[in-house]
Amino acid sequence: MKLAEQIPEDVEFTNPRKLLFPRDGFTKSDVISYYWRIADRMLPYLRGRAITVRRFPDGIGEDGFFQKNATDDMPDFIQTKEIATADDTMQAILVNEAAELVWLANKGAIEFHAALAMAETPNHPDQIIFDLDATSDEFSKIQQVAEALRAWCTENDIRPFVKSTGSRGLHVHIPIKDIQNGDFDTIRACAKRIAQHVVDECPDIATLEQRKENRGDRVYIDVQRNGYNQTAIAPYSLRARKGAPVATPLDWERAVQLETSGNRYKLNTLFKRLSQTEDPWKDFVPHAVQRGAFGLTF
DNA sequence: GACGCTG
DNA sequence: CAGCGTCAACGCTGC
DNA sequence: GCAGCG
Ligand SMILES: [Mn+2]
Ligand SMILES: [Mn+2]
């Protein structure tokens, strides 16, 4: 395959023509190429964090599965970190460089989910996330709730960052400056208080009800992602959905436009958008991590 | 996708 | 040797 | 402990 000369010798690709998005005609080669091209933009949000991959070795038309643990067939250049779980430990996968990204893509990894804490400090989140989940199909409700949340942040001198999830919703992230200050229980309680303000502001379109049967047509503000060893879809990850949508960082103006939806940008349309705009998340540095900070040589 | 078992 | 089965997560909430 | 949820 064309990319081979640019990628470390020990990364080989198998079945490059296998259809991973059968309804869209995108192959494993398309997915690997996407991740190779997006690596510089995406890696700052992955480096040093426990990564959960969602793999679809037989394409998104068949069952997929989550994988959090490293396996012994992984090459040496994939760093790992042992992290305690509720009743055991896991050997977490780290994705610090492009080689790891494409090696995992070759194993059928389509989605990359990133922890909200650095692997070295798994009890201390460096960001808060508000996961705005659609109950009905009206994306405008998601946008209104996001705006209400943004307004609360602005009143409190906080700068929130927004991304489309690639599915039907939006994620709003707030970087945490002093990560030693809180564990997940503390941060989640804080997130819930903020979310309650938003629900009070617009009770007809927003709810904190986890149970689907209690949500009505309201947007579910999910603060449960702010939990130990929990993850959120990483910026610039593909989603295993029709059209190969991308979880895309947005400027707020774009996020609330009529033309925007949760899956506005796709594998085959994202790069045009990137060439037309500055990185809307360039100031999102809850925990600045530089290339090379993890002792990699290539 | 990788591996082990079975025929 | 081919084919088949099995495996590949985790944590919070509210009964 | 378990179902529901993401
Ligand atoms: Mn969501
Ligand atoms: Mn298979």
Side-chain angles (χ1 to χ4, degrees):
Chain A
M1 127 185 304
K2 195 178 170 187
L3 292 171
E5 63 228 52
Q6 311 171 52
I7 292 176
E9 291 171 15
D10 35 358
V11 179
E12 292 177 8
F13 301 111
T14 53
N15 295 319
R17 313 212 34 152
K18 176 177 264 187
L19 280 172
L20 293 187
F21 292 85
R23 309 221 288 174
D24 305 294
F26 298 134
T27 63
K28 192 202 278 186
S29 171
D30 294 321
V31 170
I32 291 170
S33 298
Y34 169 81
Y35 280 117
W36 182 251
R37 293 181 66 190
I38 203 65
D40 282 349
R41 281 277 192 138
M42 183 176 184
L43 285 168
Y45 307 104
L46 302 180
R47 287 198 179 103
R49 300 173 190 279
I51 300 300
T52 302
V53 289
R54 192 170 170 217
R55 293 173 53 194
F56 295 82
D58 298 317
I60 67 167
E62 304 296 326
D63 287 344
F65 56 91
F66 289 91
Q67 181 173 358
K68 303 188 83 136
N69 279 281
T71 49
D72 37 21
D73 64 316
M74 288 183 180
D76 290 342
F77 63 77
I78 298 190
Q79 320 272 115
T80 66
K81 173 78 182 159
E82 183 169 288
I83 295 177
T85 61
D87 38 49
D88 197 2
T89 67
M90 61 177 180
Q91 199 66 34
I93 300 165
L94 306 188
V95 177
N96 292 332
E97 298 300 334
E100 290 96 305
L101 203 51
V102 296
W103 190 91
L104 289 162
N106 184 55
K107 293 308 189 230
I110 289 178
E111 298 188 353
F112 291 78
H113 301 249
L116 300 161
M118 301 298 290
E120 294 288 343
T121 54
N123 287 299
H124 297 282
D126 64 356
Q127 57 200 282
I128 306 176
I129 184 171
F130 298 89
D131 173 16
L132 307 184
D133 285 334
T135 303
S136 76
D137 264 327
E138 299 166 80
F139 193 73
S140 63
K141 285 187 185 173
I142 300 268
Q143 291 171 311
Q144 289 174 58
V145 174
E147 277 283 40
L149 178 54
R150 183 195 188 195
W152 183 93
C153 289
T154 303
E155 285 169 23
N156 291 273
D157 289 319
I158 293 167
R159 178 170 171 197
F161 294 81
V162 63
K163 72 179 193 280
S164 65
T165 64
S167 179
R168 302 199 305 157
L170 291 173
H171 283 176
V172 177
H173 293 247
I174 298 172
I176 297 174
K177 290 196 178 97
D178 182 4
I179 71 170
Q180 293 305 101
N181 244 342
D183 59 14
F184 275 103
D185 290 348
T186 308
I187 294 304
R188 186 172 57 259
C190 176
K192 188 169 180 176
R193 272 184 273 115
I194 298 170
Q196 186 61 56
H197 285 294
V198 173
V199 171
D200 293 344
E201 205 67 32
C202 40
D204 292 342
I205 57 169
T207 180
L208 287 170
E209 284 285 348
Q210 186 211 32
R211 288 288 209 123
K212 284 180 173 176
E213 57 182 1
N214 296 336
R215 286 183 205 166
D217 279 348
R218 295 171 293 183
V219 173
Y220 174 41
I221 307 179
D222 178 9
V223 299
Q224 303 292 145
R225 318 279 88 242
N226 300 282
Y228 181 67
N229 283 345
Q230 296 303 97
T231 63
I233 192 69
Y236 301 110
S237 176
L238 295 173
R239 302 309 301 269
R241 302 176 64 90
K242 175 158 176 44
V246 175
T248 310
L250 301 171
D251 53 84
W252 276 96
E253 185 183 345
R254 180 65 57 110
V256 299
Q257 273 179 354
L258 193 60
E259 305 91 311
T260 296
S261 64
N263 61 357
R264 179 164 181 177
Y265 300 101
K266 312 279 182 43
L267 178 152
N268 57 346
T269 61
L270 176 73
F271 289 101
K272 180 180 175 193
R273 144 95 180 152
L274 293 187
S275 68
Q276 292 168 348
T277 181
E278 270 197 22
D279 180 358
W281 280 32
K282 69 176 162 51
D283 298 324
F284 182 81
V285 279
H287 187 118
V289 180
Q290 309 270 327
R291 179 188 168 85
F294 294 90
L296 273 101
T297 50
F298 54 77

